[in-house]
């Protein structure tokens, strides 16, 4: 007898969701299940908010042919013997996975869905593999912190698609370690050949980092200007919490400097002014 994939896991799950208009799983501690903490195989709208999953076989399994909305948000998912989240649905509707802390699992997220996915805003750390992709669909994962995993993002040998993993933070401002494409990167390592897994550009800070705008400090060597007189504009006192790479001087007549790496710039005025 051949059993459907969902049937094999259903009896081992703490919570099974196979239907319903609005299903909400919130503020629970779900631990030590040999199979899944939560299995989602149906439902028009399923919300999984603010739960703690620990020491399950899989923290969550999402499977079957799904057309509803699934929102997985603000959960702590740790110490899963297999996967923190196993996304293995044949089809998916609107699925959101964000603001979760996925740590210390064998695999943080295993994505084998045949529908494209977008994963953002998560902390994925200290897993044997942070995220692993399988199947045939194209996927995107951006603006996450992926760090201190044995392997940050990996593709199985059977994967046939493209993963866009640009704009993630890999634990170091030098970016992820990749043997050929970023050999001096000190962040979490990534696989792929640069075409089936794209990780450039990367974030140099955590996605939650509050990057304040620079403060422009400008002074000149003259205040009152005669016709034809040259004025030196000085922007060296401008500052930023990172680095100032370029300046743009607007001379308040018909000219400007354009973007320039120079912090000192001379300009000649054609008429008298202050």
């Amino acid at each position: 007898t051949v059993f459907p994939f969902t049937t094999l896991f259903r009896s081992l799950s703490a919570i099974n969701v196979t239907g319903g208009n609005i299903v909400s799983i919130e503020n629970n501690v779900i631990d030590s299940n040999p199979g899944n903490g939560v299995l989602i195989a149906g439902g028009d709208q399923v919300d999984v908010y603010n739960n703690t999953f620990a020491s399950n076989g899989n923290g969550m399994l999402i499977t079957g042919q799904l057309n509803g909305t699934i929102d997985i948000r603000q959960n702590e998912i740790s110490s899963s013997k297999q996967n923190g989240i196993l996304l293995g649905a044949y089809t998916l509707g609107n699925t959101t996975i964000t603001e979760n802390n996925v740590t210390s699992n064998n695999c943080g997220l295993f994505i084998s869905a045949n529908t494209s996915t977008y994963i953002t805003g998560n902390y994925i750390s200290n897993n044997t593999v942070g995220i692993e992709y399988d199947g045939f669909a194209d996927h995107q994962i951006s603006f996450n912190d992926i760090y201190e995993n044995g392997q940050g993002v990996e593709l199985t040998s059977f994967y046939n698609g493209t993963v866009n993993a640009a704009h993630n933070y890999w634990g170091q401002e030098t970016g992820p370690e990749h043997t050929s494409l970023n050999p001096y990167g000190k962040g979490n390592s990534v696989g792929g050949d640069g075409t089936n897994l794209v990780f450039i550009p990367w974030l140099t800070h955590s996605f939650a980092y509050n990057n304040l705008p620079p403060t422009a400090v400008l002074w000149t060597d003259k205040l009152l200007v005669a016709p034809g007189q040259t004025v030196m504009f000085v922007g060296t006192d401008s500052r930023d919490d990172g680095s100032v790479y370029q300046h743009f001087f607007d001379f308040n007549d018909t000219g400007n400097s354009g973007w320039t790496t120079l912090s000192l710039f001379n300009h000649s005025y054609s008429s008298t002014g202050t």
Side-chain angles (χ1 to χ4, degrees):
T1 303
V2 177
F3 294 95
F5 181 58
T6 54
T7 303
L8 293 174
F9 284 92
R10 188 168 297 160
S11 63
L12 301 176
S13 304
I15 299 174
N16 298 314
V17 181
T18 58
N21 293 327
I22 300 177
V23 179
S24 182
I25 302 170
E26 299 184 35
N27 304 316
N28 300 285
V29 176
I30 303 171
D31 65 16
S32 304
N33 296 281
N36 312 291
V38 170
L39 179 145
I40 301 172
D44 295 332
Q45 178 178 333
V46 182
D47 299 329
V48 185
Y49 291 167
N50 196 35
N51 300 282
T52 298
F53 296 86
S55 302
N56 300 288
N58 297 299
M60 275 176 272
L61 169 62
I62 303 168
T63 188
Q65 294 182 345
L66 305 175
N67 298 310
T69 297
I70 300 173
D71 194 354
I72 300 171
R73 189 182 302 264
Q74 297 178 356
N75 299 283
E76 296 281 337
I77 307 169
S78 66
S79 304
S80 303
K81 296 176 179 61
Q82 298 176 51
N83 309 283
I85 299 175
L86 172 53
L87 187 52
Y90 304 113
T91 58
L92 284 170
N94 183 15
T95 300
T96 301
I97 300 176
T98 188
E99 300 176 33
N100 300 285
N101 185 22
V102 184
T103 184
S104 302
N105 305 279
N106 180 41
C107 181
L109 294 94
F110 188 88
I111 311 297
S112 63
N114 289 326
T115 304
S116 297
T117 61
Y118 176 53
I119 297 171
T120 186
N122 300 280
Y123 298 92
I124 303 167
S125 66
N126 293 293
N127 305 282
T128 303
V129 179
I131 309 169
E132 189 164 14
Y133 286 91
D134 192 20
F136 302 95
D138 296 330
H139 301 282
Q140 182 175 357
I141 176 165
S142 299
F143 299 102
N144 301 272
D145 285 4
I146 306 170
Y147 60 99
E148 296 182 0
N149 302 283
Q151 180 86 352
V153 177
E154 187 56 279
L155 313 176
T156 70
S157 58
F158 302 103
Y159 179 66
N160 184 15
T162 301
V163 174
N164 181 355
H167 303 294
N168 292 291
Y169 177 62
W170 304 91
Q172 291 284 339
E173 64 179 15
T174 54
E177 177 191 358
H178 189 279
T179 304
S180 58
L181 297 176
N182 194 35
Y184 300 106
K186 297 181 180 179
N188 226 166
S189 58
V190 296
D193 57 11
T195 300
N196 56 7
L197 174 57
V198 178
F199 59 86
I200 299 172
W202 57 78
L203 302 181
T204 57
H205 296 88
S206 168
F207 74 88
Y209 173 71
N210 185 17
N211 187 13
L212 299 175
T215 300
V217 179
L218 179 67
W219 56 275
T220 69
D221 63 335
K222 296 178 176 68
L223 295 179
L224 182 63
V225 182
Q229 190 169 27
T230 298
V231 178
M232 177 182 288
F233 287 86
V234 182
T236 53
D237 291 336
S238 301
R239 59 186 180 273
D240 187 60
D241 50 345
S243 299
V244 177
Y245 292 103
Q246 292 182 312
H247 297 76
F248 186 102
F249 298 95
D250 186 345
F251 305 122
N252 201 31
D253 55 6
T254 59
N256 62 68
S257 66
W259 285 105
T260 174
T261 57
L262 301 175
S263 60
L264 305 176
F265 207 92
N266 291 325
H267 179 68
S268 296
Y269 281 89
S270 59
S271 59
T272 302
T274 299

